[in-house]
């Protein structure tokens, strides 16, 4: 009988004490050893500090099978699966983090992800210069100044062709007494420039030549939602890039906690205190990942009563925490699930202070570039762009794209662009990447401008790439809208032409059966969430301060799917102090898109604003 199931590979922190920082490579070597030798566990003593920042590296868990990586508080023995206090910190540089790939049945438990250097700029509003520009005194000691490759500025003016993968910088205004956002929603930065002389600062502000060194002028590309900026002097201000940047290069691709092409990864008792992009991202593969007691919070505070801070237990954290509060925890979404076949289970967790949405769950849609004539056997074919995304790090991981995961025999659905009206259903009979056809390449390059111009006017706001596939399909059902009463000479259904720039999705790749139960979401720059998971359960959560919860796609913008979301239950949630910029505080807190949803149950939810009940869902 094999005995390795009882063997633990131990990573030992320095004997000098848990406050010492150990090179992250020691933990990486231990995990690599466990994976290579099929060991069941990597046990990490509590209270350690593993430094990946000095080598600008991530912790990689690639190709693991049935592996538990756990760090338990000393008072918890054999605590895998139990509520354990995370005390072991993994320190990263902005754009780096933990990446799990091509793994099955992995458990990660009892860790903290943190960043010694903040991944955004933070300062204080000095004055409003114009309705669309402000001067801000930035803290250049505890935070980066808003210059360099981390901050992609100035924002390029409108032009033909796709934007630079949606990269932009955003500004958030914060109440200095409560440390919560004053106004939610997009404040997009056009440019930031240093104020170089004291004469450029109002004399009434009393700024000296020396103090003016870290004053920067922020120019917005539209009038900010926050009006009368002059009255907000002394307000805290943060500037953050909308998407994570890879190694500070100005290119997208950064990560905090990323799971790709994996199945059944369980993450428990994980605290995340910062990140340059979405905090938790999953994409590709079967999915079915479970997240328990995951806290995306500021170091100094947690609102969940059954948790307590681990800051005081770690001298290294104490020294870092002596700096001013980092107002943002994540520069973009708190949790982003893209292109998994089984949606996530998120329970008993807290997600807060995010620079975009709280939680998004969706699949992807692709774009028909050109259709070809029917073959004599009734097979039809088209060039289809396997659309890249621009809303999470997983969207840049090529293997997570829709057609990369497609299989011969898959059902494929066609939808009208913008309206998402169904055009028909077919079965894939062939898939082939088109890599050497200059016509396909030129059409793909021109597609962004063409699809956003009349008569399509799609309003797609990001680069969807030029990865073209030749997809063949057949139609077996004569009642299918793609079929036709006009048969070919061989008697096969010919069907109408699929319109150019129709959208495509594959039902097998829709993220079904997500479970979002018993969580606390609060203080979000944008939405409480986009929940596009057929069969999802969203229950017993608390949502505070953000834009409403949305169900169902609108058919433009991000090329996210699925185009129809059904059988979702939204029950017994509390939503408070949410805001809709178009309808004000009287807007419903839960908004299903009637055109793209079916059988949505919204029941027994409580919606509040300033303590007064409001409508939870549209009549």
């Amino acid at each position: 009988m094999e005995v390795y199931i009882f063997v633990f590979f131990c990573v030992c922190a320095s004997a000098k004490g848990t406050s010492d920082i150990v090179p992250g490579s020691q933990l990486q070597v231990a995990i690599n050893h466990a994976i290579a030798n099929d060991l069941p566990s990597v046990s990490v003593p509590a209270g350690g500090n593993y430094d990946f920042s000095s080598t600008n590296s991530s912790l990689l868990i690639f190709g693991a099978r049935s592996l538990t990586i756990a760090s338990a508080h000393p008072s918890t023995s054999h605590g895998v699966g139990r509520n354990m206090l995370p005390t072991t910190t993994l320190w990263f540089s902005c754009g780096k983090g933990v990446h799990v790939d091509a793994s099955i049945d992995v458990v990660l438990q009892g860790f903290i992800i943190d960043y010694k250097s903040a991944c955004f700029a933070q300062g204080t509003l000095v004055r409003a210069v114009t309705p669309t520009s402000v001067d801000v005194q930035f803290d250049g000691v505890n935070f980066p100044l808003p210059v360099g490759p981390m901050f992609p500025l100035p924002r390029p003016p409108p032009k033909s062709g796709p934007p630079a993968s949606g990269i932009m910088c955003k500004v958030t205004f914060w109440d200095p007494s409560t440390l919560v956002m004053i106004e939610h929603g997009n404040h997009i930065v056009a440019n930031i420039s240093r104020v170089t002389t004291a004469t450029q600062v109002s004399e009434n502000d009393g700024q000296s030549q020396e103090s003016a060194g870290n004053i920067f002028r922020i120019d917005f590309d539209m009038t900010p939602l926050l009006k009368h900026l002059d009255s907000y002097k002394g307000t805290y201000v943060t500037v953050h890039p909308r998407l994570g940047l890879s190694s500070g290069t100005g290119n997208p691709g950064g990560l905090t906690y990323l799971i790709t092409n994996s199945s059944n990864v369980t993450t428990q008792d994980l605290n995340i205190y910062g990140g340059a992009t979405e905090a938790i991202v999953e994409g590709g593969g079967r999915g079915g990942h479970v997240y328990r007691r995951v806290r995306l919070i500021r170091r100094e505070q947690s609102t969940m009563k059954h948790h307590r801070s681990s800051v005081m237990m770690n001298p290294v954290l104490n020294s870092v925490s002596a700096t001013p509060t980092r107002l943002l925890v994540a520069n973009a979404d708190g949790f982003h699930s893209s292109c998994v076949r089984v949606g996530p289970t998120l329970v008993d967790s807290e997600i807060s202070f995010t620079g975009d949405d709280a939680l998004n769950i969706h699949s992807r849609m692709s774009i028909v570039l050109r259709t070809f004539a029917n073959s004599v056997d009734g097979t039809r074919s088209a060039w289809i762009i396997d659309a890249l995304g621009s809303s999470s790090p997983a969207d840049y991981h090529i293997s997570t794209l829709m057609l990369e995961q497609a299989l011969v025999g898959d059902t494929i659905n066609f939808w009208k662009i913008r309206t998402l009206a169904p055009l028909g259903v077919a079965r894939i009979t062939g898939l082939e990447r088109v890599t050497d056809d200059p016509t396909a390449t030129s059409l793909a390059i021109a597609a962004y401008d063409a699809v956003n111009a009349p008569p399509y006017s799609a309003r797609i706001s990001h680069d969807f790439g030029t990865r073209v596939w030749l997809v063949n399909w057949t139609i077996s059902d004569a009642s299918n809208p793609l079929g036709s009463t006009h048969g070919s000479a061989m008697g096969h259904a010919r069907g109408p032409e699929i319109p150019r720039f129709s959208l495509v999705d594959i039902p097998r790749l829709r993220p079904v059966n997500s479970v979002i139960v018993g969580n606390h979401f609060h203080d979000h720059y944008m939405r409480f969430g986009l929940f596009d998971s057929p069969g999802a359960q969203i229950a017993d959560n608390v949502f505070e301060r953000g834009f409403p919860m949305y169900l169902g796609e609108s058919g433009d913008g991000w090329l996210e799917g699925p185009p129809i979301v059904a059988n979702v239950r939204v029950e017994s949630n509390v939503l408070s102090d949410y805001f809709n910029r178009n309808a004000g505080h009287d807007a419903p807190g839960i908004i299903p898109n009637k055109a793209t949803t079916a059988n949505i149950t919204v029941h027994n939810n409580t919606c509040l604003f300033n303590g007064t009940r409001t409508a939870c869902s549209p009549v």
Side-chain angles (χ1 to χ4, degrees):
M1 177 183 292
E2 297 288 343
V3 297
Y4 294 107
I5 189 170
F6 303 109
V7 174
F8 285 79
F9 192 95
C10 180
V11 182
C12 294
S14 169
K16 296 179 181 179
T18 60
S19 64
D20 290 348
I21 295 181
V22 177
S25 58
Q26 292 190 17
L27 180 57
Q28 184 69 74
V29 167
I31 291 173
N32 291 347
H33 175 86
I35 293 172
N37 292 276
D38 294 324
L39 299 181
S41 306
V42 176
S43 181
V44 183
N49 292 277
Y50 293 89
D51 177 33
F52 295 84
S53 63
S54 60
T55 55
N56 194 33
S57 56
S58 292
L59 176 61
L60 307 178
I61 305 171
F62 286 7
R65 299 290 187 273
S66 301
L67 175 65
T68 295
I69 304 168
S71 175
H73 185 270
S75 64
T76 306
S77 60
H78 307 293
V80 173
R82 300 180 183 178
N83 185 346
M84 302 192 325
L85 180 67
T87 62
T88 297
T89 304
L90 311 177
W91 297 95
F92 297 101
S93 54
C94 295
K96 300 298 182 179
V98 178
H99 187 183
V100 181
D101 183 62
S103 295
I104 300 173
D105 298 326
V106 170
V107 176
L108 185 77
Q109 183 168 16
F111 291 93
I112 297 167
I113 294 176
D114 205 349
Y115 296 79
K116 289 185 179 178
S117 298
C119 301
F120 59 92
Q122 185 167 311
T124 304
L125 179 65
V126 173
R127 68 171 184 145
V129 181
T130 71
T132 59
S133 65
V134 294
D135 285 343
V136 176
Q137 176 89 52
F138 283 99
D139 178 348
V141 176
N142 301 296
F143 298 86
L145 294 174
V147 294
M150 184 182 292
F151 299 90
L153 295 165
R155 192 178 184 201
K159 59 180 179 61
S160 63
S165 298
I167 293 177
M168 63 182 71
C169 286
K170 295 182 177 180
V171 167
T172 308
F173 299 96
W174 304 80
D175 187 313
S177 59
T178 63
L179 302 186
V180 300
M181 300 176 195
I182 296 176
E183 179 63 85
H184 303 263
N186 284 333
H187 298 97
I188 308 301
V189 179
N191 195 23
I192 297 180
S193 57
R194 188 188 294 269
V195 177
T196 56
T197 66
T199 57
Q200 289 178 268
V201 183
S202 170
E203 293 180 2
N204 295 331
D205 294 318
Q207 299 292 335
S208 67
Q209 174 71 42
E210 290 74 24
S211 67
N214 285 344
I215 292 181
F216 288 75
R217 184 154 297 167
I218 300 176
D219 298 310
F220 298 98
D221 72 348
M222 64 185 76
T223 301
L225 297 175
L226 190 64
K227 308 300 182 186
H228 310 294
L229 287 171
D230 253 334
S231 65
Y232 289 93
K233 180 181 175 181
T235 292
Y236 293 156
V237 176
T238 55
V239 178
H240 63 280
R242 188 198 153 273
L243 293 176
L245 306 180
S246 178
S247 307
T249 62
N251 297 314
L255 63 105
T256 304
Y257 184 55
L258 173 63
I259 302 175
T260 51
N261 301 308
S262 298
S263 301
N264 303 329
V265 174
T266 298
T267 305
Q268 300 179 148
D269 303 300
L270 174 72
N271 287 6
I272 299 177
Y273 295 150
T277 182
E278 281 91 347
I280 301 171
V281 176
E282 58 176 32
R286 177 185 178 274
H289 308 309
V290 176
Y291 305 84
R292 297 190 186 96
R293 301 179 299 277
V294 172
R295 295 187 297 161
L296 173 60
I297 57 173
R298 293 169 176 164
R299 288 196 195 102
E300 297 84 355
Q301 60 196 114
S302 171
T303 62
M304 297 196 74
K305 295 179 181 179
H306 56 279
H307 288 300
R308 62 189 179 93
S309 173
S310 62
V311 170
M312 298 306 296
M313 301 183 65
N314 190 323
V316 175
L317 277 177
N318 285 344
S319 64
V320 176
S321 297
T323 61
T325 297
R326 295 179 183 177
L327 297 174
L328 273 175
V329 180
N331 283 358
D333 299 347
F335 190 115
H336 201 108
S337 176
S338 174
C339 308
V340 296
R341 299 193 294 277
V342 178
T345 293
L346 176 68
V347 296
D348 195 20
S349 296
E350 179 179 359
I351 294 178
S352 63
F353 300 108
T354 64
D356 210 281
D357 297 339
L359 190 154
N360 281 345
I361 305 171
H362 63 83
S363 60
R364 295 216 61 79
M365 291 185 283
S366 294
I367 303 172
V368 173
L369 185 62
R370 171 184 282 183
T371 57
F372 298 97
N374 295 352
S375 65
V376 293
D377 65 355
T379 298
R380 306 191 65 195
S381 59
W383 282 338
I384 297 178
I385 297 177
D386 198 10
L388 297 171
S390 187
S391 53
S392 82
D395 293 332
Y396 301 105
H397 203 284
I398 298 301
S399 61
T400 69
L401 300 184
M402 189 186 80
L403 292 178
E404 289 284 349
Q405 299 186 78
L407 300 172
V408 171
D410 274 340
T411 297
I412 185 170
N413 289 29
F414 297 87
W415 309 85
K416 187 175 181 180
I417 198 164
R418 288 290 301 277
T419 67
L420 292 181
L423 297 175
V425 182
R427 185 176 62 84
I428 296 175
T429 59
L431 287 161
E432 180 183 354
R433 271 274 282 129
V434 180
T435 58
D436 56 359
D437 190 309
T439 301
T441 301
S442 62
L443 286 174
I445 291 172
Y448 179 86
D449 285 339
V451 75
N452 284 308
Y456 309 103
S457 303
R459 300 199 304 267
I460 296 172
S461 58
H462 65 90
D463 182 5
F464 46 73
T466 58
R467 294 178 62 83
V468 178
W469 288 71
L470 176 65
V471 180
N472 301 320
W473 68 86
T474 59
I475 304 160
S476 58
D477 183 359
S479 66
N480 190 305
L482 292 181
S484 170
T485 57
H486 304 291
S488 68
M490 299 292 293
H492 299 286
R494 296 180 60 89
E497 288 294 321
I498 296 295
R500 185 188 183 198
F501 299 142
S502 296
L503 299 181
V504 176
D505 97 304
I506 295 174
R508 183 179 63 84
L509 302 180
R510 296 173 184 171
V512 300
N513 300 334
S514 297
V515 176
I516 312 298
V517 173
N519 305 290
H520 187 189
F521 303 92
H522 62 95
D523 298 286
H524 306 291
Y525 188 87
M526 294 297 288
R527 301 173 293 189
F528 290 145
L530 173 66
F531 298 89
D532 283 356
S533 172
Q537 178 188 9
I538 306 163
D540 298 308
N541 303 287
V542 175
F543 300 87
E544 296 181 281
R545 294 179 295 279
F547 286 106
M549 174 195 305
Y550 289 82
L551 305 168
E553 285 295 338
S554 59
D556 59 4
W558 294 102
L559 294 175
E560 295 171 350
I564 188 69
V565 179
N567 305 317
V568 175
R569 301 186 68 86
V570 185
E571 299 177 302
S572 302
N573 300 283
V574 176
L575 299 88
S576 68
D577 297 340
Y578 55 86
F579 182 73
N580 186 303
R581 69 167 63 94
N582 297 319
H585 297 295
D586 294 330
I590 303 169
I591 305 178
N593 185 335
K594 294 182 179 180
T596 59
T597 57
N599 193 25
I600 305 297
T601 300
V602 178
H603 173 70
N604 197 36
N605 300 283
T606 301
C607 291
L608 305 168
F609 187 78
N610 285 339
T612 301
R613 280 181 175 264
T614 61
C616 271
S617 58
V619 177

